[in-house]
Amino acid sequence: MTSDMQAPGIAIIGMSGRFPGAKNVDEFWENIKQGRDTVTHFIADELDPVVQELAGDSDYVCAKGMLDDIDQFDAAFWGMLPREAEVMDPQHRVFLEICWEAIEGAGYDASRYEGAIGCFGGCYMDTYVLHNLCSDEAFRRNLVQSIQVGTLQTELGNDKDYLATRVAFKLGLRGPAINMQTACSTSLVSIATACQSLEAYACDMALAGGVTIVLPQFKGYQYKEGSMLSPDGTCRPFDARAAGTVFSNGAAVVLLKRLEDAIADGDTIHAVIRGYATNNDGDGKVSYTAPSPEGQAEVISLAMGMADIDARSIGYMEAHGTATPLGDPIEVAGLTAAHRAYTDDRHYCALGSVKGNLGHLDVSSGAIGTIKTALTLRDAVIPPLAHFEAPNPKIDFENSPFYVNTELVPFPKGAGPRRAAVSSFGVGGTNAHLVLEEPPEAAALPQAEGPFLLPFSARTETALTAMAAGLGPAITQSDAPLSDIAATLQRGRKTFQRRGFVVASTREDAAAGFDRPEMGLEPAGSPKLCFLYTGQGAQYPGMGAALYEASPAYRDCIDRVAETLKADPDFGHDIRDWLLDPSADASQLQHTEFAQVCLLAVEAGMSAALAEKGVTPDAVIGHSVGELAASVTAGILSLEEAARFTARRGRLMGGMPKGGMLGVKAPRALTERHLREGAVIAGVNSPAISVVSGTADAIIATETSLREAEIEATRLAVSHGFHSPSMREAAEMLGAPMDVLSASENMQVYSTFTGERIDAARWGESAYWREQMLGPVLFLDAVSAAMADGFNCFIEVGPGSTLAALTMQSAEEEVSVITSLGPAKQPGDARATMLSALGKYWTKGGDINWDAVQPGAFRRVNLPTYPFDRKRFWVEPSDGAASTEPVSDERDDLAGLIRQQLGVVEAQLKAMKGK
């Protein structure tokens, strides 16, 4: 990065807009690069009825740059009632949308951004209220009577005064929100003012732009010779045939940030504003509406002076360029005068104007020109000036710094960074000028290793499906690392109630994943979370090994247990030899002592890894030895004491006489009828699954009886008859855990020994663990008790999905059950399984600490923004025969909207309580 790049500046980090012939910036830029004219030329029969009487006039020109779908709006997204949306000026509605898109496209969620965001913008005169609403005489009369003293709904939705402040309210922006009005230069003056606000530290990011929507759209104009309007509906800036402009509708906004902050935050920088200036012509011109070469030259000089650059370094000039006989020569004269203060060189700066493609966008023209110029610098190309064939003879191009480019060409690279400039001059004399520079080269960042969790959400099912459909192709086309894409989706998007996710390690896998993402099409609720801790039998070598490197919290738990047991003279092994090596001897983990401590370490580590990412339970249930891991989460035992106690328990149990266990697909009562001497019920896992334990002979006899009754029974891979009288001697020798701690007050504990909710302190008593070793595991009773208390989301913390399946079998109402570590037969990538568990929990409404899911620096990537679920909200003009009737495709569910607004109020009250 050169020293020039390190100078102060304002970065353009986000852009959005609506343009004639283009619904977004990408489509707009493609049109510009191809030199397309996107002004609509229509026939007289298409004219709006209000101007139909002019259709026969030979001087009436049917041409205008139009915007599609201005009658469409996602009212429910913005929390608006249908009538409020219908009477709102479409300029306000479009400006709301593009401001959202600029922030989100830059990789930010305004609600989570800690700094202040400002908003500076303006709009054209409200013609919707004039042409559509007030065509109804009763509406007009009521409006006049209620202005300032009535309900204000129409006034707030249509007056220019509320454009920027509505954006601030709807997006939750806390910086300055200021409406700007300087006629044609409004949006460029807004950008300059936003730059001032940023440099004064009045805000940390700023939206700036403008919108022009003049109705009716199918309305041309009466051409008069010598006027500023084109005789044929074509705008030809700086051309010999230039005879006037054509007015168009459009909207654009940019998101700005101090350059040093944008670099530090990993923002995508499209261009850098190095200098800016505004001024007014004063009275030194022939009329109020006339341009002034002196005023224009002054504002250009001021901006270049602020940028502290040589005019010779500016290689492209986006001019005001209205193609009027008077305006173009005056503008080039002013530009030349400003540049001549620096150099006498000729033809080093290409001259262009977006008006050749789109027509005159009025209030929004400066912001649209800025976007074009920023893209010119970002992509290092100079687009052609549309409709240019021969120079205007009144412009002395031969002796000027400027030339006109007529094809898409590379932007020449000089000794320093590429630079460009933008001018916008308003009727009434307020002028603005910007000096822009190409973005600095981004410093290389270390790339995180996959897999990655890519979340997305929307307010409606339609929007969620559309978002998934848009993200896949965007990821395919992107050259950004998948780690940056994932981090942008995690931290740069607002979370809505309908959610989905993809877990992938490569861009190709991610793109394919969005063809079939995991989605929760129903609104996410408020999950009441319970952790389920797996018991013995699910263990295998290398379980969770990938998490050891991926999660510091997991690694810490594994190391603490390993070091504690290495120091135990009765243990004498390093469990990491089994847990970190999938090829380790699996037979070693069939030993009870080793199996139980490994399960403890893994389950405690997984709990810590989940907590690290913001997922903590409100309750815990442990299956047999899983209760020891649960006791750590509940805060009863320290991890070190749990490790020592588990090792002692496993050692004692392993020293008892051999036996066996059966898994039986039958209810407890039926299973009990087939028990033979020496066999007991050791577990009730679900309404239809029981466990039998006992001596080897008893297990054989019981198994025979069950099979004769055609009841399925399966031998479990254990060496002993756990949870049976054969463990009595071990139970008597076990004793109590040492160093018992105070339980978390907010944690509910459900015992699989009692089958009920218990006081967590009981897990610190020797009597509990002695009896627990002998009695049956009443998992069905425990999980049913939790469900009865309202727990509706369960995460199995440990290898496999046994407890998840049992929980589903036990549920009488719908619950969410999530696994977090693969089973022995299909272990998979533990990192991917953990991320999938996080994604599933998030789709159910859980909160995730995204900063911990993918920690470290990242670059914010431009990705598809929210696909608004638009419907028609529009008031058709009245013919005078009847009152104006609103037209909308459907009335939103008012109860749902009220619930949405109450949810916002509830969230605000919680935030206030937290403060």
Side-chain angles (χ1 to χ4, degrees), residues 154-388:
T154 303
E155 185 176 345
L156 295 176
N158 289 271
D159 195 292
K160 293 181 178 183
D161 284 359
Y162 308 109
L163 182 78
T165 51
R166 172 173 282 101
V167 171
F169 173 67
K170 291 295 184 182
L171 272 63
L173 314 183
R174 296 177 290 105
I178 301 175
N179 299 293
M180 313 293 296
Q181 295 301 151
T182 62
C184 317
S185 61
T186 292
S187 58
L188 201 67
V189 171
S190 295
I191 293 173
T193 306
C195 290
Q196 289 179 323
S197 183
L198 286 164
E199 292 194 329
Y201 287 81
C203 56
D204 301 293
M205 291 198 295
L207 293 160
V211 54
T212 300
I213 298 178
V214 177
L215 299 173
Q217 287 212 98
F218 280 94
K219 176 177 76 74
Y221 55 87
Q222 193 82 42
Y223 169 70
K224 293 182 181 179
E225 187 174 356
S227 73
M228 66 183 299
L229 297 172
S230 167
D232 60 359
T234 299
C235 185
R236 302 178 178 86
F238 311 115
D239 189 80
R241 299 166 297 152
T245 196
V246 54
F247 283 98
S248 299
N249 290 338
V253 68
V254 294
L255 181 65
L256 307 175
K257 195 176 193 180
R258 289 180 291 272
L259 177 60
E260 62 271 25
D261 293 341
I263 292 172
D265 293 342
D267 296 326
T268 293
I269 301 173
H270 303 285
V272 178
I273 299 173
R274 287 296 184 195
Y276 55 87
T278 59
N279 75 348
N280 193 276
D281 296 335
D283 62 356
K285 53 186 181 178
V286 297
S287 71
Y288 175 70
T289 59
S292 165
E294 293 81 12
Q296 293 177 12
E298 180 185 55
V299 78
I300 295 164
S301 297
L302 288 170
M304 288 194 295
M306 179 185 184
D308 194 22
I309 55 134
D310 187 337
R312 185 66 178 77
S313 68
I314 297 176
Y316 175 74
M317 176 67 224
E318 175 65 21
H320 190 61
T322 55
T324 57
L326 179 64
D328 283 2
I330 287 178
E331 180 173 8
V332 175
L335 281 165
T336 300
H339 278 241
R340 285 291 174 251
Y342 293 86
T343 179
D344 291 329
D345 288 355
R346 299 183 303 153
H347 305 161
Y348 57 82
C349 183
L351 189 65
S353 172
V354 75
K355 293 178 181 65
N357 307 90
L358 310 184
H360 195 332
L361 285 305
D362 208 287
V363 167
S364 62
S365 59
I368 293 176
T370 300
I371 289 176
K372 174 190 171 184
T373 307
L375 295 171
T376 295
L377 289 165
R378 185 196 70 183
D379 293 353
V381 295
I382 298 178
L385 174 58
H387 300 300
F388 186 86

Side-chain angles (χ1 to χ4, degrees), residues 737-805:
M738 307 293 289
D739 303 324
V740 176
L741 307 174
S742 297
S744 169
E745 294 181 1
N746 298 321
M747 186 72 68
Q748 296 183 34
V749 169
Y750 293 87
S751 166
T752 53
F753 167 58
T754 68
E756 302 172 334
R757 180 179 172 184
I758 63 169
D759 185 339
R762 290 193 62 187
W763 276 348
E765 300 171 356
S766 60
Y768 180 89
W769 295 109
R770 181 173 62 251
E771 295 167 5
Q772 189 251 22
M773 192 183 293
L774 299 172
V777 178
L778 304 178
F779 180 78
L780 169 61
D781 294 350
V783 78
S784 297
M787 292 178 191
D789 287 344
F791 286 92
N792 56 9
C793 185
F794 298 85
I795 297 180
E796 180 166 0
V797 181
S801 58
T802 300
L803 299 187

Side-chain angles (χ1 to χ4, degrees), residues 833-859:
T833 308
M834 173 66 79
L835 290 175
S836 181
L838 291 171
K840 290 175 181 177
Y841 177 63
W842 183 71
T843 63
K844 301 304 178 183
D847 292 328
I848 302 293
N849 177 9
W850 294 114
D851 291 342
V853 172
Q854 194 175 314
F858 70 98
R859 299 214 178 281

Side-chain angles (χ1 to χ4, degrees), residues 656-661 693-697 699 715 718-722 726:
M656 295 298 102
K658 300 291 185 179
M661 300 182 78
S693 179
T695 65
D697 290 342
I699 290 298
R715 290 284 185 101
V718 296
S719 56
H720 292 73
F722 301 124
S726 65

